[in-house]
């Protein structure tokens, strides 16, 4: 190897090492005071042969926390979520349907099946 190539290789090695030192790795943990996303509150129910189970389940959530409705149904219906904001979801005759919403105003939130006329769940949403 000629002297010019040796200097070029040495310069490249030094530059690469300097760049490697300048890279800052992300910390493994979140900084103090950072909050992780809230885990969803899950309400599971089933519509079969004209019956709804369970009826009027009780759950608790916080404002902004995701709420998942998981539905197995043998009939079409419509879910009404009486909250602020309000939500409406079309239920099909299918298993494993999932509907997600959040509530922005604390209070009691009723989740009602419109055609069946049943309250599936009441979620108490706290500030």
């Amino acid at each position: 190897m000629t002297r010019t190539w040796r200097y070029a290789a040495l310069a490249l090695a030094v530059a690469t090492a300097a760049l490697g030192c300048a890279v800052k790795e992300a910390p493994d943990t979140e900084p103090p005071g950072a909050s992780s996303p809230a885990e969803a509150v899950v309400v599971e129910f089933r519509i079969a042969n004209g019956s709804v189970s369970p009826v009027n389940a009780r759950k608790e959530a916080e404002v902004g926390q995701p709420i998942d409705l998981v539905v197995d149904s043998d009939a079409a219906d419509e879910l009404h979520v009486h909250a602020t904001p309000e939500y409406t979801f079309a239920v099909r005759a299918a298993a494993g349907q999932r509907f997600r919403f959040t509530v922005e105003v604390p209070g009691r939130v009723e989740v009602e099946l419109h055609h069946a006329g049943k309250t599936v769940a009441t979620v108490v949403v706290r500030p």
Side-chain angles (χ1 to χ4, degrees):
M1 192 182 286
T2 65
R3 182 180 277 185
T4 306
W5 283 105
R6 282 187 211 153
Y7 286 130
L10 179 61
L12 181 60
V14 169
T16 304
L19 285 175
C21 292
V23 175
K24 183 177 180 182
E25 293 189 26
D28 291 336
T29 59
E30 293 180 14
S35 61
S36 58
E39 205 170 297
V41 171
V42 178
V43 178
E44 296 178 302
F45 61 97
R46 180 183 180 126
I47 305 167
N49 301 318
S51 296
V52 179
S53 176
V55 174
N56 207 15
R58 303 288 182 176
K59 298 285 185 171
E60 291 190 10
E62 293 180 4
V63 168
Q65 183 176 13
I67 301 170
D68 287 350
L69 304 175
V70 181
V71 186
D72 291 335
S73 181
D74 66 358
D77 206 320
E78 192 172 79
L79 279 167
H80 291 180
V81 178
H82 299 283
T84 303
E86 289 193 340
Y87 296 91
T88 301
F89 301 106
V91 176
R92 301 178 330 273
Q97 298 169 79
R98 193 175 209 76
F99 307 101
R100 176 170 276 198
F101 65 95
T102 59
V103 178
E104 297 171 10
V105 176
R108 295 172 58 91
V109 173
E110 291 184 348
V111 179
E112 169 194 56
L113 275 167
H114 182 69
H115 299 298
K118 303 283 185 187
T119 300
V120 175
T122 300
V123 181
V124 176
V125 180
R126 303 200 188 286

